[in-house]
Amino acid sequence: MENSSHKKTLFQKLAEWAKPVDLTVGKPWRVIIKYSVPIMLSYFLQQIYVLTDAIICGQVLSAEQVAGVNDTFPLTFIFLQFAFGCTAGFSVITARKVGTNDISGVRKSFMTQVYLSVLISAVLTLASTLLLTPMLRLINVTSENPEVYNAAYEYCFVIFIGIFAQMGYNFICGILRAYGDSVTPLVFLVISTLLNVGLDILFLVPLGMGPIGAAIATVLAQLISVAACCVYMFARYKELRPARDDCAFRLHDILEHLKHGLPLGFQFSILAFGIIVMQGAVVSFDIMKSGIMVAGTPAQNGFGAASKLLNFLMSLFQGLSSAILGYNAQNYGKGEYERIRKGTAQTLVIMLVIAAFCMASGMLLTIGGAYQYIFLSADKISPSSVMYGNAYLFTTLIPFSVLGYLHVMRSADQGIGKVGYVLGAGIAELAARVLICAFLPAAINGAAIDSTASLAAYVAVCMGDPGAWLAACVVLTVPAVKYIFKKFAPGCKNPLLNDRDIKGF
């Protein structure tokens, strides 16, 4: 009896800790910080999924296998980020229903997302597995260098088979965060992250399964996280359990969710195509004129380690952007337009503080290439790998606040329904990155890029990131100024949208 009481107390404490946050009341900056911190931690842990693979692979596998795993990032990014973008867009609808206290609408949104998640996962899995070989060829990873190619192919294939697990987790998290609960996804992600670390060690060290073992560990841990989070959600929030009427297939609801989800999904995928171009350009610095890769693949490993550090630092921006997405969507649903303006402005201030912290931390880790010892074993680290990695970090960390502005304004605009601008920003980002990577390095080098190219040519490749960020920010600033920061017109009940926009919702 005493033990039962003790367990009940612990459950009550957990329930209180995970109590949904009402984003429509209280000081905006305080509410946003309270809501965003668990999300930031969640993104950190998601990066640990990647970091665990990188750290253990970097210590156990050969340099060529590590390069193959590193090279897969832009390929998996295309499909996983499309899934993430879709679920983030879907959550806007859910958050608006929460803002109007329409719990029945939340349940219907949940079931609509179940149908769409199953369909989109099936399409993405089929497309990704069929296109895997051509995509590897696109980033200059071919069977001419079999160890790199086999590692990349095996790792990618398993990740693509497990897309449904990643989409399921994003979908459940989107529902909970739209509901105001950013803690529950974090709790179960902690558990699955620890499981992922254990499985990685098991599959890679005693079992020696190589890159395919790391991928299996990642997918399996994500799948367990989805199941556990879903069970807890229905036990904790009984009002979210769908009734029979909620399960009806409604074309109107499907189209409404697709209207918000597909543009953001395409936006992230468009971004990934640009990253593929950039990754292909980096691989060229490791290829000799004979077509054979340089021993140790220093450009790929240096760039790969630096990219992982950058993605880890970027987690703070991702958490903040998810917070402002839910915040704006909830307040839009309730009609609190002044709070949207204040909250967005205050989020930008928070972003600048985070950007300064990330830039300082990243710069410190470039000393002696310290970050590379996290992701690579000592035998894979060389002056060349440090040179390539540090060049990329210097190029991207100095303008890091531009990336922060991009993350915040993209989600702020999405939260008020300006999906067209979000998609336009993705197109601008793709165009800028492709143009910079395709023409600037060769122009600076004065010849085609290979292992003899200059460091200045490599820096030109790295400029693809800040150049793309800046192009996207220009597009996103238009709706920010026009709608979010526009002064309230006298007697205007909705200063964010004109009459034609209102009819669209």
Side-chain angles (χ1 to χ4, degrees), residues 428-482:
E429 195 171 351
L430 170 65
R433 187 176 275 110
V434 169
L435 290 173
I436 290 172
C437 291
F439 298 106
L440 188 59
I444 289 178
N445 195 52
I449 301 298
D450 57 30
S451 61
T452 64
S454 65
L455 179 61
Y458 176 79
V459 172
V461 172
C462 298
M463 286 299 298
D465 269 351
W469 301 341
L470 186 60
C473 286
V474 171
V475 176
L476 294 171
T477 297
V478 175
V481 172
K482 187 176 180 181

Side-chain angles (χ1 to χ4, degrees), residues 124-334:
L124 291 180
T125 298
L126 180 63
S128 61
T129 51
L130 291 177
L131 295 173
L132 179 53
T133 298
M135 289 191 299
L136 287 171
R137 192 179 302 119
L138 189 62
I139 59 172
N140 296 320
V141 176
T142 65
S143 55
E144 292 180 7
N145 297 281
E147 196 168 5
V148 175
Y149 174 81
N150 291 337
Y153 186 94
E154 291 174 359
Y155 187 85
C156 262
F157 187 82
V158 174
I159 293 296
F160 288 155
I161 292 295
I163 281 177
F164 71 96
Q166 179 69 57
M167 184 149 194
Y169 174 76
N170 290 335
F171 148 54
I172 295 295
C173 286
I175 293 288
L176 288 170
R177 288 169 182 162
Y179 196 60
D181 180 0
S182 58
V183 174
T184 296
L186 171 61
V187 172
F188 288 98
L189 188 56
V190 168
I191 297 172
S192 63
T193 299
L194 294 174
L195 179 62
N196 184 53
V197 172
L199 290 174
D200 260 332
I201 295 173
L202 173 64
F203 292 157
L204 289 178
V205 181
L207 297 183
M209 295 175 64
I212 196 170
I216 291 173
T218 297
V219 171
L220 186 58
Q222 288 172 340
L223 187 60
I224 292 172
S225 179
V226 173
C229 198
C230 192
V231 169
Y232 177 82
M233 179 183 72
F234 288 132
R236 170 69 178 85
Y237 304 109
K238 295 181 175 60
E239 68 274 19
L240 295 181
R241 298 178 183 178
R244 176 175 294 184
D245 182 62
D246 299 323
C247 299
F249 187 90
R250 297 175 176 83
L251 182 60
H252 170 75
D253 290 342
I254 294 289
L255 295 177
E256 184 181 18
H257 282 73
L258 289 176
K259 174 183 175 182
H260 287 268
L262 289 182
L264 198 57
F266 283 124
Q267 195 274 339
F268 282 119
S269 288
I270 287 171
L271 166 64
F273 279 111
I275 294 176
I276 283 180
V277 172
M278 191 170 177
Q279 182 72 43
V282 170
V283 172
S284 298
F285 285 83
D286 276 338
I287 299 179
M288 297 184 287
K289 293 184 183 297
S290 62
I292 304 301
M293 284 194 178
V294 176
T297 57
Q300 292 170 77
N301 284 335
F303 179 82
S307 296
K308 287 180 173 61
L309 174 61
L310 195 70
N311 289 333
F312 196 87
L313 296 173
M314 204 186 303
S315 299
L316 295 172
F317 288 155
Q318 292 172 324
L320 197 61
S321 68
S322 292
I324 193 62
L325 175 67
Y327 174 90
N328 278 6
Q330 272 199 25
N331 281 282
Y332 180 89
K334 194 174 180 180

